[in-house]
């Protein structure tokens, strides 16, 4: 049997311990940033909720308004939204801390690909949320108001509305990550530019199927999500040809 090398084991334990300390330090910095942003936004909690509710309130009939069906929801729901907004604002700093922890262990070509993908994923997620808020939600609420049966008062609970909007933001943000997903699949060898080009028809059908499942039950909202997803698929195809071309040459 080969004798164990105590010095090698000690070095491994020290290295692992130092990594854990660095990870804790990075996480603490991210949490501090999140708490600072959260505390700064707490006084504006009601204003933030009013802005979030604007796409619905502007489409509601005269005399209709949002309601609170639970005792604590007028206080808890705006605070919950404030936390989501703080997390949304702090995400670049959180991702930066995680990247600073992971990047020293990556190879040069991995950094070359991972850095733009990280930035692109963040930008595309924000773009998806903005698209949902400014474009899709007003159109969807206008449709829902138009199809409300006569004699039915359209008064939505504030907690249910926040849950619905949060789900819409998350769904649209993820759907806008299509280019990043395409590049990652190509980078690990699952697909290539030729397969992506030939599978364009399947991608279009899949985009419309996903849009029909996610969006409210109106044709306009479905098209508003499916068309950008198709365009983002083409953007991902261009990114594959551009980003993965140099490593193949090398």
């Amino acid at each position: 049997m080969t004798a164990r090398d105590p010095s090698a084991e000690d070095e491994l334990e020290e290295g692992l311990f130092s990594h854990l300390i660095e990870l804790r330090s990075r996480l603490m910095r991210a949490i501090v940033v999140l708490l600072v942003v959260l505390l700064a936004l707490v006084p504006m909690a009601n204003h933030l909720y009013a802005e979030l509710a604007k796409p619905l309130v502007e489409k509601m009939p005269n005399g209709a308004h949002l309601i609170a069906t639970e005792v604590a929801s007028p206080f808890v729901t705006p605070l919950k939204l404030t936390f989501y907004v703080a997390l949304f604002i702090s995400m670049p700093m959180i991702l930066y801390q995680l990247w600073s922890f992971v990047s020293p262990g990556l190879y040069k070509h991995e950094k070359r690909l991972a850095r733009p993908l990280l930035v692109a994923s963040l930008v595309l997620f924000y773009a998806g949320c903005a698209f949902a808020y400014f474009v899709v939600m007003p159109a969807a609420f206008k449709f829902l108001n138009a199809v409300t049966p006569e004699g039915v008062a359209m008064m939505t609970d504030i907690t249910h509305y926040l849950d619905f909007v949060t789900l819409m933001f998350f769904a649209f943000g993820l759907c806008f990550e299509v280019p990043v997903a395409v590049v990652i699949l190509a980078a690990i060898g699952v697909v290539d530019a030729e397969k992506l080009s030939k599978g364009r028809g399947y991608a279009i059908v899949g985009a419309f199927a996903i849009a029909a499942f996610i969006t409210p039950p109106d044709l306009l909202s479905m098209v508003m999500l499916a068309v950008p997803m198709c365009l983002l698929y083409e953007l991902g195809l261009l990114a594959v040809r551009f980003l993965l071309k140099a490593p193949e040459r090398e």
Side-chain angles (χ1 to χ4, degrees), residues 127-180:
C129 295
F131 184 78
Y133 179 79
F134 291 106
V135 179
V136 177
M137 286 170 51
F141 294 145
K142 182 179 180 180
F143 167 79
L144 294 175
N145 180 41
V147 299
T148 301
E150 186 176 353
V152 176
M154 186 178 179
M155 290 187 290
T156 306
D157 176 67
I158 60 174
T159 303
H160 293 162
Y161 176 75
L162 176 61
D163 294 340
F164 172 79
V165 173
T166 303
L167 180 61
M168 289 284 288
F169 283 171
F170 188 72
F172 272 77
L174 286 184
C175 288
F176 269 56
E177 300 290 341
V178 169
V180 176

Side-chain angles (χ1 to χ4, degrees), residues 140 143-144 147 164 168 211-222:
F143 167 79
L144 294 175
V147 299
F164 172 79
M168 289 284 288
F213 178 76
I214 292 176
T215 58
D218 65 296
L219 181 61
L220 181 61
S221 298
M222 181 184 71

